[in-house]
Amino acid sequence: MKKSTYCAFLPYYDEVGTNATYYILEDGSKGVHPFPIKHFITDKLHTLWLDPLMLRRLSQQILQMRTHVPIILNADQLFIPIKIRTNVPMHDGCLGYVLTSAIAHYDNYTITLYNGAIIKTLSSAPYIAKKLREAELLNYRYKELILQHISPKSYV
């Protein structure tokens, strides 16, 4: 079975109105997760043996922001938060996450992925550009931290 990378995971309301998640894979296929996006993210991070709270705090500390921080899985997989819908009830997930390397083009209120999928958003082009810059900064700092802890230290 071929392992496929997530290009995006987005919140939506299913046919009965409950909060669910759908995702787009790199080959363009789509799938559904019947739980909210927060549960989907936590589940995927736990399968990779990553602590969601630690990753969030690391991103918050590096970027000096508290909300709407990118999700970094490794140096090649960064997901930026994009507003997909308005939140109706309190704490309703309105942010979706898109893999930065999967974005072919973005414009006001649309993102086109390399696999041809088009994502309709509520985010403007300047907001998306800002989130991409934040993701680049986070990736740069992440690589710096990893190299600092992995590289052998010389004790001369």
Side-chain angles (χ1 to χ4, degrees):
M1 181 176 175
K2 182 181 175 244
K3 183 178 177 184
S4 190
T5 305
Y6 292 99
C7 287
F9 34 95
L10 312 163
Y12 83 104
Y13 296 116
D14 64 6
E15 53 277 347
V16 256
T18 58
N19 207 354
T21 305
Y22 79 91
Y23 53 86
I24 302 170
L25 299 175
E26 65 185 348
D27 62 358
S29 62
K30 297 177 183 178
V32 174
H33 183 72
F35 296 103
I37 198 159
K38 183 177 181 180
H39 181 274
F40 178 80
I41 293 169
T42 303
D43 185 48
K44 293 306 164 200
L45 290 175
H46 282 159
T47 59
L48 295 171
W49 292 84
L50 295 172
D51 181 15
L53 186 59
M54 187 272 310
L55 280 176
R56 182 173 175 79
R57 287 193 177 154
L58 176 69
S59 299
Q60 287 174 338
Q61 184 179 10
I62 290 171
L63 296 173
Q64 296 296 309
M65 2 179 347
R66 294 189 46 85
T67 59
H68 305 263
V69 293
I71 297 173
I72 185 164
L73 300 182
N74 57 43
D76 299 327
Q77 290 186 329
L78 278 125
F79 292 88
I80 58 170
I82 301 295
K83 189 164 185 175
I84 300 298
R85 64 182 186 194
T86 57
N87 52 345
V88 178
M90 188 82 148
H91 303 294
D92 185 24
C94 62
L95 293 177
Y97 290 86
V98 180
L99 184 67
T100 57
S101 61
I103 298 173
H105 176 71
Y106 63 90
D107 204 359
N108 282 330
Y109 314 113
T110 59
I111 295 176
T112 306
L113 302 178
Y114 280 115
N115 60 18
I118 296 174
I119 301 171
K120 302 238 182 262
T121 72
L122 297 178
S123 300
S124 65
Y127 175 83
I128 296 169
K130 177 184 166 214
K131 288 301 169 186
L132 287 170
R133 284 192 307 274
E134 290 170 0
E136 286 178 29
L137 174 63
L138 183 62
N139 192 25
Y140 175 77
R141 186 69 176 120
Y142 176 81
K143 286 179 183 177
E144 191 177 75
L145 287 170
I146 294 300
L147 289 175
Q148 179 182 2
H149 289 290
I150 292 177
S151 65
K153 296 183 173 55
S154 60
Y155 297 101
V156 181

